[in-house]
Amino acid sequence: MVHLVTAVIKPFKLEEVKDALKAIGVLGVTVSEVKGTGRQGGHTETYRGSEYVVEFLPKVRLDILCDTAETDTVIDTIATAARTGKIGDGKIWATAVDRVVRVRTNERDLEAL
Amino acid sequence: MSATELTPPSTSPVDATSAPARGTRGFARRLVAPKRLLVSAAVSAAVAAVLVTVLANSAFAQDVAPEPLSAADKFTQNTNLMWIVVGAALVMFMQAGFALLEVGFVRAKNGAHTMAMNIAVFGTGATGFFLTGYALMFGGYYVKVPGFDWGYDHALGSALIGSGKWVFLWKGGWALTGGKFAASGAVLGFFLYMLAFMDTAATIPTGAMAERWKFKSFVLWGFFCGALYYPLFGAWTWGGGWLSQLGNSWNLGQGYTDFAGSGVVHAVGGVAALTGAIVLGPRIGKYTKDGKSRGIPGHSIALAGAGTLILMFGWFGFNAGSTLQIADGQFGLVAANTGISAALGCIGGMFWVWKRTGKPDPGMIMNGLLAGLVAITAPCAFVDPWAAAVIGLIAGVLVVEAVFFVDHRLHIDDPVGAVGVHFVNGIWGVLAVGIFASGKYGVDAFGTGLGWNSTTTHLDSAGSATGVTGILYGGTGWGQLGAQAIGAATIIIVMGGFSFAFFKLSNLLFKGGIRSTAEDEIAGLDVPEMGVFAYPDFVGTGESYADDESPSKVPYGD
């Protein structure tokens, strides 16, 4: 069984999270630059004397496929590394994955990780 | 260019007072300087050797044998000409500054359109200026230096509209044809320098009207500005027309005095930016239904900042080059004043916007610096350094207030602040001459006793000739301030009306008006108008404004 762990974190925490994941043996991470809004909300700035609202703040999204048995370890590792304690630290969630295929070899599921 | 000094000397009498348009870019007075000034000219011996060699090989057929000039005099004359040509190149480089500044201040989706305008305006404007603009502006211009003839001893043409002290347009030398042009490097060098100034005026509206101006309409503006709009006010001032003659006709100081063009270039371009932005209306999404102004950040503060600094670099050609002769050591004061005013404008804008909004907005630091440059452009040769500092500091505060007023109160959308920088501070610079001019410069043109405008002698209470004098330096200053005020009012009313009529008329003549369709504007003008993205490798950021009240009333976004 494979789970997909998805984490949305503060961009400057990416290096720390990556290092922590490497340390527990996670082999692959997909990283995307994303924007989002949540409890942190946006903020209002002034440009040439006129206000504008930055509603969607930049975040980094990580997608990690892992053995279901290791899901909590991965989640805890990310949460610990990404935590600043301030609003806007992000979210982590996990979903069950039906099927995984390694493109090069056609291996399936756990073999494909 | 080497033929300059070989044109036959004038045989006509030197009649200073009756000349309708005597060398009225008035500072072009003494083209051959005392040798002690020559020593101070920053020209290397290597350049001298090259010039002398060129001169030696440049004989051409002529009807009248010229009086031979000494090698030193030839060198001085050509060094002066070189100052003009180098100045022209510096001023033309300002176009790169305008381009970067404006592109940086618009959104990425309009980058190619804005950049294209800033390049094409040189082509269209220069073509118009070449065909008719120069003749209309400078057909009556000449410079006569007793003993030395640099090839500009006679006016190329005559009055087209008006006569005597009341000339409104000149004719002579359409498309640089006519005997004088081929033979005279002086005339052609001067033409090139003036072309660069025209280009500066022509490109100012492209900033205020950016992100929503049909390219077709912009092209027409370029030709119109170069061929007629810019030369009109130019003829009245630097060309020897009625504004420069106000000292003669109405006894107002030395007449309207504008050293390098706060009024002639910046306010004239700036008022067109204002009227153009009015006719176009604000960009979609700029104002909310309840009339609140939204900030629409430009996509590259880095480009805008580089553009600002390039503009400052070129400005030293604009102002210091306007001595039109390296032999006139006044260019040192001019350059210093230019730098001082830019610095004070920069901190004036920075601290004022900091106080007003809580942050030192980079865009307003840039606008402040440019405002200082615009404001010192008219007075730079006539004021002491302390006055340049005051003028610059006021300009920096003024530009912030002007940008806020135009945006928040008048609801005129000007993405780059062209109205605040060029129009408002151009007018401020024009008036500053009448306040701060010290009376030390512009005393004695050609050694004929005429003042800076070459139209009248300015006497103090003791009967001695004085330079351009503002109200802080004597009773006659009120006349000078009056002439400056008339010039400023003329720009606002006449040139403002003229440009407003042009844009309004264009709006009627162009199918669908001069404003892009709402669809094109939302998509960004790059592809609909130009067929190319400024940044094809990046994902564009479209935006929608749910509560927008755009003049077009066309649905957009979702």
Side-chain angles (χ1 to χ4, degrees):
Chain A
M1 287 288 287
V2 175
H3 262 63
L4 171 68
V5 177
T6 302
V8 174
I9 62 170
K10 286 184 170 167
F12 74 95
K13 279 289 186 182
L14 177 61
E15 283 293 304
E16 282 175 62
V17 171
K18 180 209 69 180
D19 291 344
L21 287 171
K22 228 175 194 172
I24 62 163
V26 171
L27 293 173
V29 181
T30 302
V31 179
S32 354
E33 292 177 10
V34 296
K35 283 182 177 180
T37 182
R39 294 188 190 195
Q40 186 183 4
H43 49 93
T44 301
E45 291 295 341
T46 307
Y47 173 77
R48 303 179 61 75
S50 300
E51 288 186 349
Y52 70 101
V53 184
V54 180
E55 304 206 49
F56 298 101
L57 299 176
K59 299 285 173 189
V60 164
R61 172 176 165 149
L62 310 175
D63 288 291
I64 301 150
L65 290 166
C66 65
D67 189 332
T68 301
E70 293 168 4
T71 306
D72 282 329
T73 314
V74 170
I75 289 173
D76 290 344
T77 302
I78 296 172
T80 307
R83 186 173 295 130
T84 68
K86 290 178 186 154
I87 196 163
D89 271 355
K91 288 237 178 347
I92 307 171
W93 62 93
T95 42
V97 173
D98 271 357
R99 195 161 286 116
V100 182
V101 181
R102 188 191 305 283
V103 173
R104 173 166 54 88
T105 59
N106 214 26
E107 290 164 291
R108 300 286 160 137
D109 298 335
L110 282 176
E111 277 77 43
L113 294 187
Chain B
M1 81 93 169
S2 52
T4 304
E5 77 291 353
L6 297 174
T7 309
S10 166
T11 51
S12 63
V14 178
D15 181 0
T17 49
S18 66
R22 168 172 250 308
T24 340
R25 187 104 207 259
F27 35 120
R29 284 158 312 259
R30 196 177 302 112
L31 292 158
V32 175
K35 281 169 190 162
R36 63 183 167 78
L37 280 178
L38 178 62
V39 172
S40 70
V43 180
S44 70
V47 174
V50 170
L51 278 176
V52 169
T53 309
V54 170
L55 290 173
N57 296 329
S58 66
F60 66 99
Q62 41 201 295
D63 301 327
V64 184
E67 289 176 27
L69 292 178
S70 71
D73 288 339
K74 283 180 183 175
F75 173 68
T76 304
Q77 247 172 215
N78 283 283
T79 308
N80 288 336
L81 179 57
M82 188 175 78
W83 185 230
I84 297 175
V85 175
V86 168
L90 280 167
V91 176
M92 282 180 184
F93 193 51
M94 288 169 69
Q95 184 68 66
F98 276 110
L100 293 178
L101 179 86
E102 293 178 13
V103 169
F105 274 154
V106 301
R107 288 163 291 183
K109 62 183 181 178
N110 295 304
H113 183 265
T114 306
M115 178 53 84
M117 286 199 293
N118 273 280
I119 297 167
V121 77
F122 173 74
T124 54
T127 303
F129 195 69
F130 166 70
L131 292 175
T132 67
Y134 186 77
L136 293 171
M137 186 164 169
F138 286 112
Y141 177 87
Y142 66 96
V143 177
K144 184 175 289 181
V145 184
F148 301 105
D149 183 354
W150 74 323
Y152 218 157
D153 58 322
H154 291 95
L156 294 158
S158 53
L160 178 67
I161 301 173
S163 64
K165 296 167 187 169
W166 297 95
V167 173
F168 293 89
L169 279 178
W170 305 93
K171 62 182 176 183
W174 309 113
L176 297 190
T177 54
K180 268 291 178 187
F181 288 103
S184 173
V187 179
L188 295 173
F190 184 73
F191 162 78
L192 189 76
Y193 193 60
M194 284 301 135
L195 183 150
F197 277 66
M198 177 288 306
D199 181 42
T200 302
T203 200
I204 291 170
T206 62
M209 299 168 73
E211 303 201 280
R212 61 207 192 278
W213 193 8
K214 267 187 197 161
F215 202 78
K216 271 190 268 188
S217 165
F218 149 78
V219 168
L220 183 65
W221 157 257
F223 285 116
F224 170 72
C225 181
L228 184 60
Y229 177 73
Y230 173 78
L232 189 61
F233 193 77
W236 299 347
T237 55
W238 292 342
W242 68 278
L243 279 173
S244 72
Q245 300 276 348
L246 287 175
N248 273 336
S249 53
W250 289 351
N251 195 29
L252 295 175
Q254 296 203 5
Y256 174 78
T257 297
D258 192 342
F259 185 72
S262 287
V264 179
V265 177
H266 294 282
V268 164
V271 78
L274 175 66
T275 58
I278 291 171
V279 172
L280 279 182
R283 289 167 292 174
I284 293 171
K286 176 61 186 167
Y287 297 103
T288 60
K289 280 199 179 82
D290 53 2
K292 198 161 172 278
S293 170
R294 272 206 196 86
I296 303 181
H299 83 283
S300 175
I301 292 297
L303 286 182
T308 301
L309 294 173
I310 288 172
L311 276 165
M312 180 163 70
F313 177 77
W315 225 288
F316 290 98
F318 206 95
N319 286 1
S322 287
T323 59
L324 295 181
Q325 46 174 334
I326 205 148
D328 182 352
Q330 190 75 0
F331 73 79
L333 175 79
V334 170
N337 279 348
T338 302
I340 291 166
S341 185
L344 271 291
C346 177
I347 64 164
M350 177 176 74
F351 284 125
W352 198 253
V353 78
W354 208 336
K355 174 177 142 49
R356 292 282 259 114
T357 70
K359 286 185 183 173
D361 188 319
M364 296 307 291
I365 298 175
M366 297 172 201
N367 278 174
L369 190 151
L370 295 173
L373 289 167
V374 169
I376 201 62
T377 295
C380 55
F382 307 113
V383 301
D384 291 333
W386 71 264
V390 173
I391 291 166
L393 192 64
I394 292 173
V397 174
L398 197 56
V399 74
V400 174
E401 289 305 321
V403 166
F404 287 6
F405 184 76
V406 167
D407 184 356
H408 301 164
R409 298 292 178 83
L410 303 181
H411 283 193
I412 296 166
D413 183 15
D414 175 2
V416 307
V419 174
V421 170
H422 297 282
F423 172 62
V424 174
N425 278 289
I427 297 295
W428 162 233
V430 165
L431 297 177
V433 173
I435 299 169
F436 295 101
S438 67
K440 293 174 193 161
Y441 187 65
V443 179
D444 184 14
F446 308 103
T448 54
L450 289 174
W452 183 82
N453 264 333
S454 305
T455 52
T456 184
T457 307
H458 194 207
L459 301 179
D460 63 15
S461 51
S464 311
T466 66
V468 178
T469 308
I471 55 172
L472 296 181
Y473 290 86
T476 53
W478 286 103
Q480 188 63 48
L481 186 58
Q484 301 306 108
I486 290 172
T490 304
I491 293 169
I492 297 167
I493 298 165
V494 179
M495 300 312 287
F498 198 36
S499 57
F500 185 72
F502 169 78
F503 289 122
K504 270 287 183 194
L505 197 61
S506 301
N507 210 20
L508 292 174
L509 294 177
F510 277 87
K511 195 180 166 192
I514 64 173
R515 180 170 176 145
S516 316
T517 64
E519 289 81 1
D520 289 356
E521 190 180 332
I522 289 155
L525 301 181
D526 277 8
V527 170
E529 286 256 31
M530 316 310 297
V532 63
F533 280 118
Y535 306 98
D537 294 343
F538 295 85
V539 179
T541 54
E543 58 252 86
S544 62
Y545 298 96
D547 57 344
D548 171 61
E549 188 173 44
S550 74
S552 54
K553 305 286 186 200
V554 176
Y556 55 87
D558 55 17

